[in-house]
Amino acid sequence: MLCQKCHERQATVHLKKIISGEETEYHLCEQCATEQGDFIAQAMQAFDFNHLLSGLLNMEAAPGYPAQAPAALRCDVCGMTYQQFTQVGRFGCPHCYESFASRLDPLLRRIQSSTSHTGKVPRRAGEQVKRRRHLEQLRKQLNHAVATEQYEEAARLRDEIRQLEQMSEN
Amino acid sequence: MSLSDFLQQAISRWMKDGGPQDDIILSSRIRIARNLQDLPFPILQTDVHADQVIQEVQKALASSAVAKLGEFEFARCRDMSQLDRYVLVEKHLISKDLAEQVRHGALALRKDEVMSIMVNEEDHLRIQVIMPGLRLNEAWQLANAMDDALEQQMPYAFDDNLGYLTACPTNVGTGIRASVMMHLPGLVISGHINRMLSAVSQVGLTVRGLHGEGSEAAGNIFQVSNQVTLGESEEEIINNLTSVVHQLIDHERSARRLLLQQNRELLEDRVCRSFGLLAYARQMDSKETLQRLSDVRLGIDLGIIKGVSAGILQELMVMTQPAFLQKYYGQELSPGERDLRRAALVRERLRLDTEVR
Ligand SMILES: [Zn+2]
Ligand SMILES: [Zn+2]
């Protein structure tokens, strides 16, 4: 039998791959198999990874985990469903992390060393994060001031919040 | 064009310049994944989204902050020939995934080919720095500076708690993949490699053969990289990798020393035999070529072979691959023809060095 790829040398490497029940056979010469090796290894890795990922995600059924994800769980920004995510192993958009937040913890615990970031923080987003945290703080103080009838303090806080909000709009 | 002229143009800095520990470490690479806010990841991208990302990147490239980091050429994948894209893959400057993203993919490449930015691969941006020898810190500093410069121009998708958001959950957090390409013939010949590799994989690192796995890795070249991206800082990731790499270097050195002491004749025969084959063979497949090159490089490092440049391994490892061969000879080549041309190119390259002598 001749090699399927170069049609020149004898095929000495015979591979059979079964992915999702679909069978594919390869008959290659040694040279083409080496050259193709990377590709096959990569395809196998991708397959293994997705398989692994869906395996991990299905672990959720174990006791202690929250109930099975509803079939309708879907990212309201990009439209990707949680079901699709478990199949492709890739998110559709940055917002997916928030949309699927309730399911991510067990996954991240297994593939990463922890579930919170301790590395670099981008300068610009970092400022936004700081401003957002500051605003939340001020709003809490404002509620407290109103509840305890400290109206002068409440007015001052209200102005400060307004100023910050305007800044973040610009 | 003569081979030496072609080499001048075709070879990236990581293939010719030396660096710390470059008798064992061929290259150090840092790659960081970033995404823009409020846009779907490339997997769900429409043409409009892809164009939007590309425009943002082009705008950022024109900024003064980026200009300080060097001169870049920008091209969309669809405007490059398939052959040229695969030449870039073989030079380790872009990934296979990007080469296949013909419609949406794009690339910014610094003139000296030390830094590249892949656009619309799995993530919107992948900043990559590749340097010769063990220089992970230096590579990270440069990638980090580019990251800062780009971020001034376009807001990234970043979460307070999860860090940089990426298309795949295995990259979330720092988005960093640090890796080192190592030539480990001593450990392979002495039979210790599999034990070493399994030890390495137990400390949060991944090892894979560049061409094939374990003791079967052609050319005895291995890539070691971090596995985890969330929960450790960039510096911790790089320091952890560096310390394991230093241990591997020590083991490789002592394996080489032992081989010289105990099996000198066998080793010399193996090395010189491979040199003879490379210098005179009329056809050779890529697997054998890598194996022979590895032997010759070991011979150079141990002083058995003199007058041949050490960079020959990196150079020919890249240049004898299918796309590069076809680029050099300027024509499409069947696998059988490639085996002939590969041997011819290797002979020609070896003669360049020996003429000097
Ligand atoms: Zn073939
Ligand atoms: Zn989404």
Side-chain angles (χ1 to χ4, degrees):
Chain A
M1 183 190 287
L2 279 178
C3 166
Q4 274 176 346
K5 206 175 158 217
C6 62
H7 306 286
E8 279 188 3
R9 291 177 285 234
Q10 279 295 318
T12 51
V13 179
H14 307 278
L15 290 169
K16 190 190 276 181
K17 268 202 302 191
I18 305 170
I19 293 177
S20 322
E22 211 175 299
E23 204 177 289
T24 323
E25 282 187 31
Y26 295 88
H27 306 281
L28 302 169
C29 70
E30 207 170 317
Q31 284 90 332
C32 288
T34 316
E35 278 163 19
Q36 195 122 13
D38 262 8
F39 161 73
I40 292 173
Q42 256 180 11
M44 293 303 285
Q45 250 175 11
F47 170 70
D48 281 350
F49 174 71
N50 290 342
H51 189 75
L52 178 82
L53 203 58
S54 24
L56 290 172
L57 292 160
N58 289 333
M59 289 288 293
E60 288 186 27
Y65 281 114
Q68 200 76 38
L73 189 58
R74 176 189 287 275
C75 173
D76 52 1
V77 171
C78 71
M80 181 176 271
T81 65
Y82 184 72
Q83 186 73 29
Q84 286 168 327
F85 164 67
T86 63
Q87 281 156 10
V88 292
R90 304 284 183 279
F91 293 111
C93 78
H95 190 75
C96 284
Y97 280 91
E98 211 172 305
S99 306
F100 305 144
S102 60
R103 330 298 308 174
L104 287 186
D105 241 42
L107 172 70
L108 291 177
R109 265 176 221 291
R110 270 156 213 269
I111 60 176
Q112 299 282 1
S113 76
S114 108
T115 56
S116 62
H117 177 60
T118 55
K120 180 176 178 179
V121 172
R123 218 169 291 158
R124 197 202 289 211
E127 268 166 38
Q128 283 170 12
V129 168
K130 267 183 245 159
R131 199 174 296 158
R132 197 172 65 223
R133 284 182 186 160
H134 188 47
L135 265 173
E136 279 162 18
Q137 187 93 38
L138 289 174
R139 288 203 188 97
K140 252 186 229 162
Q141 287 174 10
L142 175 62
N143 285 342
H144 179 74
V146 171
T148 54
E149 302 187 352
Q150 295 171 283
Y151 295 116
E152 236 172 86
E153 174 71 357
R156 192 189 64 75
L157 285 166
R158 191 198 54 211
D159 289 347
E160 200 181 334
I161 289 171
R162 225 174 254 166
Q163 214 179 342
L164 268 175
E165 280 173 343
Q166 269 167 7
M167 261 171 64
S168 42
E169 272 162 30
N170 292 337
Chain B
M1 196 193 295
S2 79
L3 179 61
S4 64
D5 289 345
F6 182 78
L7 284 173
Q8 284 294 324
Q9 291 171 25
I11 296 256
S12 316
R13 254 190 61 194
W14 76 265
M15 291 183 246
K16 57 182 176 203
D17 291 4
Q21 321 277 3
D22 63 1
D23 55 329
I24 293 171
I25 308 293
L26 302 183
S27 70
S28 302
R29 188 176 62 172
I30 296 284
R31 195 215 63 202
I32 47 184
R34 297 291 186 254
N35 288 281
L36 306 194
Q37 263 175 18
D38 306 322
L39 278 173
F41 293 137
I43 195 177
L44 292 185
Q45 241 171 7
T46 62
D47 292 354
V48 177
H49 292 135
D51 289 347
Q52 213 174 325
V53 176
I54 286 173
Q55 278 164 18
E56 293 277 346
V57 173
Q58 280 179 304
K59 230 173 29 194
L61 285 172
S63 73
S64 59
V66 174
K68 279 184 206 138
L69 296 169
E71 203 183 330
F72 286 81
E73 270 178 277
F74 189 86
R76 289 189 68 137
C77 287
R78 65 176 187 212
D79 298 329
M80 290 184 258
S81 71
Q82 186 177 335
L83 186 62
D84 283 341
R85 294 199 304 274
Y86 275 89
V87 165
L88 292 171
V89 173
E90 291 174 358
K91 289 168 90 173
H92 299 249
L93 300 177
I94 68 173
S95 64
K96 228 174 233 172
D97 278 357
L98 186 76
E100 278 154 21
Q101 288 282 1
V102 182
R103 247 171 108 96
H104 293 164
L107 164 74
L109 182 61
R110 201 166 89 168
K111 286 267 167 75
D112 64 0
E113 304 191 341
V114 164
M115 180 153 52
S116 49
I117 303 166
M118 292 182 260
V119 184
N120 293 331
E121 198 232 36
E122 184 181 288
D123 294 294
H124 293 145
L125 299 175
R126 291 259 171 112
I127 303 167
Q128 182 190 284
V129 174
I130 184 164
M131 290 180 167
L134 184 55
R135 299 186 200 208
L136 284 171
N137 273 315
E138 205 182 319
W140 159 242
Q141 296 307 331
L142 187 54
N144 191 23
M146 175 54 84
D147 184 40
D148 287 341
L150 291 176
E151 199 242 339
Q152 281 179 28
Q153 312 298 321
M154 43 194 173
Y156 286 154
F158 180 85
D159 178 86
D160 228 1
N161 192 41
L162 291 173
Y164 294 93
L165 302 178
T166 53
C168 182
T170 54
N171 293 321
V172 72
T174 54
I176 195 173
R177 195 73 61 199
S179 58
V180 166
M181 211 197 301
M182 308 186 77
H183 182 224
L184 301 174
L187 288 171
V188 173
I189 295 171
S190 62
H192 294 311
I193 191 73
N194 285 332
R195 200 163 43 88
M196 297 295 314
L197 297 187
S198 79
V200 167
S201 64
Q202 299 191 348
V203 291
L205 301 176
T206 307
V207 193
R208 48 178 212 91
L210 197 60
H211 305 272
E213 292 307 315
S215 46
E216 295 296 300
N220 305 321
I221 296 166
F222 298 85
Q223 190 134 319
V224 189
S225 55
N226 65 300
Q227 196 162 29
V228 162
T229 56
L230 179 64
E232 289 169 19
S233 72
E234 291 81 357
E235 285 75 18
E236 285 169 334
I237 287 168
I238 288 167
N239 289 343
N240 180 30
L241 177 60
T242 305
S243 77
V244 172
V245 164
H246 274 296
Q247 289 178 43
L248 282 171
I249 290 174
D250 289 346
H251 285 290
E252 171 66 20
R253 290 234 166 89
S254 50
R256 289 180 185 188
R257 250 196 322 271
L258 223 64
L259 281 172
L260 262 186
Q261 279 165 15
Q262 297 174 350
N263 294 301
R264 183 166 194 115
E265 273 131 24
L266 235 89
L267 192 67
E268 284 181 351
D269 179 65
R270 177 185 172 130
V271 161
C272 296
R273 199 175 276 271
S274 286
F275 184 80
L277 279 166
L278 288 175
Y280 291 102
R282 282 330 196 230
Q283 62 172 32
M284 202 178 276
D285 66 44
S286 53
K287 190 177 173 182
E288 184 183 356
T289 306
L290 276 170
Q291 208 50 57
R292 304 290 174 202
L293 282 170
S294 168
D295 288 344
V296 167
R297 173 64 199 259
L298 179 63
I300 295 169
D301 290 336
L302 295 177
I304 298 170
I305 293 179
K306 297 196 175 76
V308 180
S309 56
I312 206 155
L313 174 63
Q314 294 94 296
E315 244 180 73
L316 285 176
M317 163 183 114
V318 170
M319 297 202 46
T320 54
Q321 299 210 21
F324 230 112
L325 279 176
Q326 299 181 62
K327 183 84 187 165
Y328 178 56
Y329 288 107
Q331 64 187 95
E332 217 176 289
L333 300 170
S334 72
E337 288 166 335
R338 271 185 243 150
D339 295 349
L340 293 169
R341 300 292 183 118
R342 182 178 293 115
L345 177 73
V346 171
R347 289 198 309 270
E348 208 179 331
R349 176 65 189 85
L350 286 176
R351 227 172 295 131
L352 275 185
D353 277 4
T354 37
E355 268 165 21
V356 176
R357 196 150 46 135

